[in-house]
Amino acid sequence: MQRSRRISILIAALAVMTSMTLGLSPAVAAIDPGNAEAQFIDLINGERTARGLNPLSVDPALTAGARQQAVAIRDAGRLFHNPNLGSVTSGWSWIGENVGYGYDVANLHQAFMDSSGHRANILKSGATHIGLGVVVDGATVWVAEVFMTSNRTAAFTPPFVDDDGSPYEPAIIKIADAGITSGCSNDLYCPYALVTRAEIATFLVRAFNLPGSAKNAFTDDDGSTHHANINALAAAGVTNGCQPGRFCPNSTLTRGELATFITRALGLSIPSRDYFSDDNGSVHEPAINAVAAAGISTGCSSGKFCPTQSVTREQMAGFLANALGL
């Protein structure tokens, strides 16, 4: 058994050893590493589910190993594989790694998919877990993706199969039990997918039992499945839109925006204390302080809230579960 495990590492490593040359122009907007990791996972699981394969669950040990490798290749300025890949975690029967660099997530992911070895890791039948590490250095995104097939015996906790290992799993289960979400498809929650402004309207209407409204508040949400809930959100005074007459339903939701929506929905008082150092000048700063004072959020890291960072579905579950006291 030990011999077959070692061979599987070598095969996986050799299959993805070729460096990728990407003819891409540097992105103008700054890329947040946490957002980038979530986007890679969402793209990978999208590729798998589109082909009838199981989505991969995020494993903390694989994530730690991937992040260390992303730092290592960034510091070296070249691509190479983790020589101790098999020691990143235990309990695997197959393990593989993709490494690369580029200038945006979508094109870098496509470069992996266009390479047979990298694609084989992404679409490995029987793979169960993934860890993603991203380092952004200037305009360059350095990424390490670590995959494994686990031979551990793990119990599935209903109702979703793809949130095992997520620190937000208890919150996800709570908002599902409360009828706020039924997931993204059968048995799936898609915890690492980014939340749109339209989607949060529906989540908030369900969470706070907001009444409907016959008034059409915005001109850019006609045809959206979330149209009625966007109108309800506006009628309740939770949103004024993104600009006059518009809601921007397809834009991703930021942490600052979510703080404002929750503060308005709950009618939270604005405290005098300033909780975070990175929201000065933000229009959402009062609401950010309000959700901190109410114990709804402790920020993204020590002393920081990351107000412009996009919200993943798992993070949204955490906010709502805390806001509702679930």
Side-chain angles (χ1 to χ4, degrees):
M1 181 62 181
Q2 185 65 27
R3 178 176 172 77
S4 65
R5 288 173 78 249
R6 287 176 176 167
I7 291 173
S8 67
I9 297 172
L10 292 174
I11 292 172
L14 289 171
V16 297
M17 202 62 186
T18 303
S19 301
M20 294 179 296
T21 301
L22 304 176
L24 306 174
S25 300
V28 175
I31 297 175
D32 177 82
N35 280 353
E37 290 176 0
Q39 289 168 25
F40 274 116
I41 293 168
D42 193 34
L43 288 168
I44 288 167
N45 278 335
E47 301 282 4
R48 292 180 62 84
T49 56
R51 293 164 174 82
L53 298 169
N54 60 288
L56 303 177
S57 298
V58 174
D59 181 86
L62 295 185
T63 299
R67 287 173 175 169
Q68 290 175 3
Q69 185 63 14
V71 171
I73 58 177
R74 187 280 310 271
D75 289 348
R78 61 183 179 87
L79 298 181
F80 59 92
H81 286 281
N82 183 351
N84 300 310
L85 182 61
S87 299
V88 166
T89 190
S90 59
W92 54 264
S93 58
W94 170 84
I95 194 164
E97 180 183 65
N98 290 347
V99 293
Y101 67 91
Y103 301 106
D104 69 83
V105 171
N107 282 289
L108 185 48
H109 172 74
Q110 189 58 52
F112 281 138
M113 289 300 295
D114 290 341
S115 166
S116 61
H118 297 86
R119 185 174 63 250
N121 279 344
I122 290 171
L123 301 179
K124 173 75 172 178
S125 177
T128 57
H129 292 81
I130 188 172
L132 239 299
V134 168
V135 174
V136 179
D137 190 355
T140 304
V141 178
W142 297 84
V143 59
E145 303 172 344
V146 182
F147 308 85
M148 79 169 180
T149 299
S150 174
N151 57 18
R152 306 166 188 157
T153 301
F156 156 53
T157 304
F160 305 114
V161 301
D162 61 344
D163 60 350
D164 291 341
S166 168
Y168 296 95
E169 184 177 15
I172 292 169
I173 293 171
K174 288 174 182 177
I175 68 168
D177 288 345
I180 298 168
T181 183
S182 57
C184 59
S185 64
N186 290 339
D187 298 327
L188 301 178
Y189 181 72
C190 302
Y192 312 106
L194 301 179
V195 181
T196 66
R197 286 172 55 88
E199 289 169 337
I200 196 60
T202 293
F203 287 130
L204 291 173
V205 166
R206 292 172 181 168
F208 299 107
N209 196 28
L210 300 179
S213 173
K215 181 180 178 180
N216 187 20
F218 305 106
T219 62
D220 62 344
D221 62 345
D222 294 339
S224 169
T225 57
H226 303 281
H227 177 73
N229 290 322
I230 292 170
N231 288 335
L233 205 66
V238 176
T239 182
N240 300 315
C242 59
Q243 52 185 274
R246 297 177 62 83
F247 184 71
C248 302
N250 297 322
S251 296
T252 56
L253 177 74
T254 68
R255 289 172 57 88
E257 290 171 333
L258 182 55
T260 292
F261 288 155
I262 290 176
T263 294
R264 291 173 179 168
L266 289 176
L268 297 178
S269 299
I270 305 301
S272 58
R273 177 180 169 183
D274 186 10
Y275 283 80
F276 305 105
S277 62
D278 64 341
D279 61 349
N280 295 331
S282 169
V283 296
H284 303 289
E285 183 178 12
I288 291 169
N289 288 329
V291 296
I296 296 170
S297 176
T298 57
C300 60
S301 62
S302 180
K304 294 185 176 182
F305 187 77
C306 303
T308 61
Q309 182 174 304
S310 298
V311 179
T312 63
R313 286 171 59 90
E314 65 171 4
Q315 292 168 344
M316 180 271 299
F319 272 94
L320 293 185
N322 289 340
L324 296 170
L326 299 179

